[in-house]
Amino acid sequence: MCTNNLDTTNARRERAVSGTPDGQGRAPGATLPTITEREAMPSVLPVAEDPGAPRPAPGAPSVLGTPPAPGTPPGAGNPTGNPTGHRTTGHTTGPAAGHTAGPTTGHTTGPTTGPAPGDYRAAFNVARLAMAVVDREGRVLDANTALGALLGTDPALLITRSAADLADLREDPRTWREYRDVLGGRAARLRRTRRLRRADGHALWAEITVEPAPDSCSLLLSMADISDQRDLQGRLRHLQMHDPVTRLPNRSLFFERMTRALEAATYDHGGTGRIGLCYLDLDGFKAVNDTLGHRVGDRLLGAVAQRLTDCAAPGGHLVARLGGDEFALLVRNSTGTEQLCDLARTVLAALQEPFDVGGQRLSVSASIGVVERPAAGTHTTWLMQAADTTLYWAKEDGKARWTLFDPERNAHRMTRQALSSTLRPAVERDEFVLDYQPLVGLGDGVVRGVEALVRWDHPQFGRLSPNRFIPLAEENGAIVPLGRWVLRTACRQARAWQLTEPPHPLVVSVNVAVRQVWDSDLVADVGAILAETGLPPHLLQLELTESAVMGSTGRPLQALQQLSDMGVAIAIDDFGTGYSNLAYLSRLPVSTLKLDGSFVQGFRAEEHPNPADETIVEALVQLAHRLGLTVTAECVESAEQAERLRRIGCDTGQGWFYSRPVPPDRIQAMITCPAPG
């Protein structure tokens, strides 16, 4: 069982400074042995103890140790158990006169010495590292001068104090549990950094270490002052986590604070459990940098940051610069979307006031994306994605405004993104099919041709019409492989119809995007596909929108001319709604005009017809015929419309009145049978 050596140590201290000789004739404060003691000492080193001998009892001196009490017979503390101190059997290689050494076993090569207990105590007292000896109950047994100086108190006043209180080890449950494990011998060491308060009220940062003392039942508590290190780390962190231009928190610190806010809002039952974000971007800021220079731009950013800080100050909201001209305002424990919308309105109003930057008056506006939702289940990545998407909506809607996050609109955007990313693989997996809509002669009702219309049999969203994915394909370039597939499939089908019904060859019309002309060699593709399928060129018609064809110069115009020289027909789709440069029309290698359906809608008998619609269509038909072009009317939905278009002189019609887009096997039956009308 461990004993406390504190009383023995104090008694020895009192005797050493009492001023009266002790029982052996030593003067006060003397440390050398008396003549009688020296004569009683053994002349040679004692024989080492048997390795199998029992270890010292638990009551042996602690790590700091204490000298023998006055009057103790020489050899009483001899670990060999030899009470006489006389020479014992064994050989030595040299004398050890004047030394108090540990026991040896058998032959030795020289004198062996060890530090006296007083040496440990002296080192403990003069050490610069603040230390205390702690018993297994957590009470301070002894404290050195450095610890007293560190805590600003007399080390004697620390005796019997709780070490956990001195080192602030109770506040953190995890630290307290690990500290108790060290006291109980279930853990080898505890190391923590703690903010302590001195007796004079000043605070300091200390690194606390608690570990068992070797060969002792006590523990050693040490404290190292790391305040300067922490202060330097704090300054470096501030530089690392703040924007040098605006002095606002930067992106890293903003995400750190947002993560904490989400966690706190989720588990703090005293708050609203919600979080909000205003994500803004300055409109036209690049022009300021480009025209006035980055120095003026930086000063403008600093002025914007100050106004944002003023707007956020009443609510204590966090303002950060995320990079470039992007800023964010984080609202913790928001009360609902109205609070975020009010904040966005306040910010817009504040930024509308002109800025005075270096004697120049500058005006800027901002687009703001607003997101507000429950914190539970919300992740920082989702929150920023939603805010970024909403900011894009604000810019798309006209800038200088704020837009609130709309889940429905976002779902549409996510679907759009999912479709865009899978377009190219879908072409390789043959997920697309072609339907065909007949082009019918208005005079005789005979099917003259068909238009190939692509559909996407999506494994998740079902069959999708062209307006769902063709714009996406044009944006990401997937229109090139998709258009090549459509062209090859349509030509192969047209060739099959030609072989089946030689007397009634059908012209197949295929839509072509202008990007197919720029991003691929359309002329070479068409030539290769015609040669591969065996379809005569005059049975292929390529449709391009009016806006894509009108004004075409350079490569697009050359490609159209080469295709026309090859014998392929060129048609202008949706004519009358685009560029409409009629003077340019005569110079294009075009053979057909397809009137947009908006003109035909005015021909419905049940409505009051607008005479202007009929006049415009009639003029366009006459103009086209004068130029040697044929005219096809789109969106024909009734017999009355078909009849009026026939009287005006349209050559062919296309629409639901004749047939919806159908699979190729349905077209086979229409080739020999006249269409209605």
Side-chain angles (χ1 to χ4, degrees):
M1 179 176 180
C2 296
T3 59
N4 190 343
N5 296 318
L6 191 58
D7 296 336
T8 305
T9 303
N10 293 336
R12 183 170 57 84
R13 287 177 175 174
E14 292 174 0
R15 185 181 70 249
V17 297
S18 62
T20 59
D22 60 12
Q24 300 296 328
R26 284 191 290 254
T31 58
L32 295 177
T34 63
I35 296 175
T36 305
E37 290 173 335
R38 286 200 301 271
E39 290 176 349
M41 290 181 181
S43 58
V44 295
L45 291 173
V47 177
E49 64 175 324
D50 186 352
R55 302 289 297 172
S62 68
V63 65
L64 298 179
T66 55
T72 303
N78 191 339
T80 62
N82 183 3
T84 63
H86 291 245
R87 180 183 305 180
T88 58
T89 58
H91 301 278
T92 61
T93 58
H99 294 280
T100 348
T104 60
T105 304
H107 296 278
T108 62
T109 58
T112 303
T113 62
D119 295 336
Y120 289 113
R121 169 134 333 253
F124 177 76
N125 286 328
V126 302
R128 294 186 178 182
L129 179 62
M131 294 183 289
V133 180
V134 181
D135 65 14
R136 291 291 178 174
E137 297 300 324
R139 294 188 301 270
V140 176
L141 299 178
D142 202 358
N144 68 354
T145 305
L147 182 61
L150 181 69
L151 299 179
T153 185
D154 185 350
L157 299 178
L158 301 177
I159 307 301
T160 72
R161 289 278 304 276
S162 169
D165 293 340
L166 294 180
D168 190 29
L169 302 178
R170 298 181 187 272
E171 296 300 323
D172 179 10
R174 178 182 175 185
T175 299
W176 173 246
R177 183 176 62 255
E178 294 182 7
Y179 172 63
R180 299 296 300 174
D181 288 343
V182 175
L183 290 181
R186 296 181 296 275
R189 172 183 291 188
L190 171 69
R191 176 171 291 176
R192 286 290 187 275
T193 299
R194 280 289 179 269
R195 184 175 177 85
L196 306 180
R197 192 164 296 277
R198 291 165 46 91
D200 57 7
H202 288 85
L204 61 98
W205 284 98
E207 186 176 74
I208 312 295
T209 303
V210 182
E211 54 189 341
D215 299 328
S216 172
C217 292
S218 57
L219 298 97
L220 188 63
L221 167 71
S222 61
M223 297 185 185
D225 187 353
I226 59 171
S227 299
D228 292 341
Q229 178 183 345
R230 291 282 299 202
D231 183 57
L232 176 60
Q233 290 176 346
R235 291 198 299 270
L236 292 177
R237 175 176 168 79
H238 186 274
L239 292 175
Q240 181 185 7
M241 294 295 186
H242 285 77
D243 173 52
V245 175
T246 62
R247 310 297 175 132
L248 292 176
N250 61 14
R251 190 179 191 90
S252 298
L253 183 55
F254 176 77
F255 272 91
E256 182 180 299
R257 297 278 181 84
M258 182 164 58
T259 302
R260 291 181 184 175
L262 285 171
E263 293 175 353
T266 301
Y267 298 106
D268 184 9
H269 299 291
T272 63
R274 303 184 69 86
I275 193 166
L277 178 63
C278 288
Y279 185 27
L280 66 94
D281 177 273
L282 300 181
D283 302 323
F285 177 76
K286 185 177 183 298
V288 176
N289 274 342
D290 293 344
T291 57
L292 302 178
H294 287 270
R295 185 175 181 180
V296 174
D298 288 348
R299 296 181 65 180
L300 177 59
L301 289 175
V304 169
Q306 185 57 52
R307 291 195 185 178
L308 294 178
T309 302
D310 294 340
C311 293
H317 309 314
L318 174 67
V319 183
R321 182 190 178 196
L322 303 187
D325 57 346
E326 296 178 355
F327 297 84
L329 290 84
L330 182 66
V331 179
R332 290 157 288 200
N333 286 317
S334 61
T335 58
T337 57
E338 190 58 34
Q339 180 187 12
L340 271 296
C341 295
D342 289 342
L343 179 60
R345 295 188 192 100
T346 303
V347 169
L348 283 181
L351 296 181
Q352 284 177 353
E353 296 294 326
F355 292 85
D356 187 356
V357 180
Q360 301 184 72
R361 288 177 63 83
L362 301 177
S363 297
V364 296
S365 62
S367 300
I368 307 177
V370 179
V371 182
E372 200 279 340
R373 60 169 290 117
T378 300
H379 191 270
T380 55
T381 302
W382 183 93
L383 195 61
M384 287 304 301
Q385 286 178 345
D388 186 61
T389 299
T390 312
L391 172 61
Y392 172 78
W393 294 344
K395 285 188 171 295
E396 191 178 43
D397 293 342
K399 301 181 179 180
R401 67 188 64 221
W402 60 269
T403 302
L404 185 64
F405 179 75
D406 181 3
E408 244 182 72
R409 188 174 180 180
N410 184 62
H412 177 73
R413 184 191 69 87
M414 296 296 290
T415 302
R416 179 183 172 90
Q417 178 61 32
L419 295 177
S420 178
S421 61
T422 56
L423 264 169
R424 291 179 183 270
V427 177
E428 300 172 359
R429 293 193 296 263
D430 291 330
E431 293 180 2
F432 295 93
V433 296
L434 289 185
D435 283 344
Y436 300 88
Q437 189 172 33
L439 305 173
V440 180
L442 291 174
D444 54 12
V446 176
V447 177
R448 305 290 178 82
V450 292
E451 180 181 356
L453 300 172
V454 64
R455 305 287 188 261
W456 186 359
D457 281 339
H458 197 280
Q460 179 181 356
F461 302 112
R463 175 160 290 199
L464 303 178
S465 59
N467 63 330
R468 292 288 303 276
F469 59 88
I470 290 298
L472 299 177
E474 292 178 350
E475 288 178 9
N476 63 17
I479 192 65
V480 174
L482 177 59
R484 192 178 292 120
W485 178 88
V486 171
L487 183 62
R488 178 178 288 106
T489 304
C491 288
R492 186 180 295 116
Q493 182 61 59
R495 175 60 174 166
W497 285 327
Q498 182 192 21
L499 295 176
T500 303
E501 296 289 342
H504 306 283
L506 294 181
V507 174
V508 62
S509 190
V510 179
N511 291 278
V512 175
V514 69
R515 187 163 182 175
Q516 291 179 255
V517 182
W518 283 108
D519 293 0
S520 66
D521 192 343
L522 181 62
V523 177
D525 288 344
V526 170
I529 290 173
L530 290 177
E532 173 189 336
T533 59
L535 183 69
H538 71 276
L539 295 182
L540 174 63
Q541 176 176 275
L542 300 180
E543 296 186 16
L544 289 90
T545 61
E546 181 181 3
S547 57
V549 175
M550 292 297 187
S552 296
T553 58
R555 182 175 177 180
L557 182 58
Q558 294 174 5
L560 294 179
Q561 188 61 58
Q562 292 175 8
L563 290 170
S564 179
D565 294 341
M566 191 185 298
V568 176
I570 306 296
I572 299 179
D573 195 14
D574 300 330
F575 185 80
T577 60
Y579 194 82
S580 297
N581 188 339
L582 299 180
Y584 194 72
L585 181 61
S586 62
R587 296 193 291 271
L588 289 173
V590 176
S591 58
T592 302
L593 298 182
K594 297 188 71 174
L595 296 181
D596 186 74
S598 59
F599 293 108
V600 180
Q601 288 177 358
F603 283 33
R604 293 175 180 173
E606 63 271 12
E607 298 179 358
H608 298 288
N610 187 347
D613 289 337
E614 188 167 342
T615 302
I616 293 174
V617 172
E618 185 176 2
L620 291 175
V621 171
Q622 292 177 1
L623 174 64
H625 288 168
R626 291 288 182 91
L627 294 175
L629 308 177
T630 60
V631 180
T632 299
E634 297 181 307
C635 299
V636 180
E637 298 179 356
S638 67
E640 292 80 8
Q641 289 175 320
E643 176 59 25
R644 293 180 64 185
L645 290 168
R646 185 192 64 77
R647 288 200 311 265
I648 288 174
C650 282
D651 301 289
T652 55
Q654 176 183 357
W656 286 7
F657 173 64
Y658 301 108
S659 174
R660 294 174 179 265
V662 294
D665 57 347
R666 297 277 300 278
I667 296 295
Q668 187 72 37
M670 301 180 188
I671 295 178
T672 55
C673 298

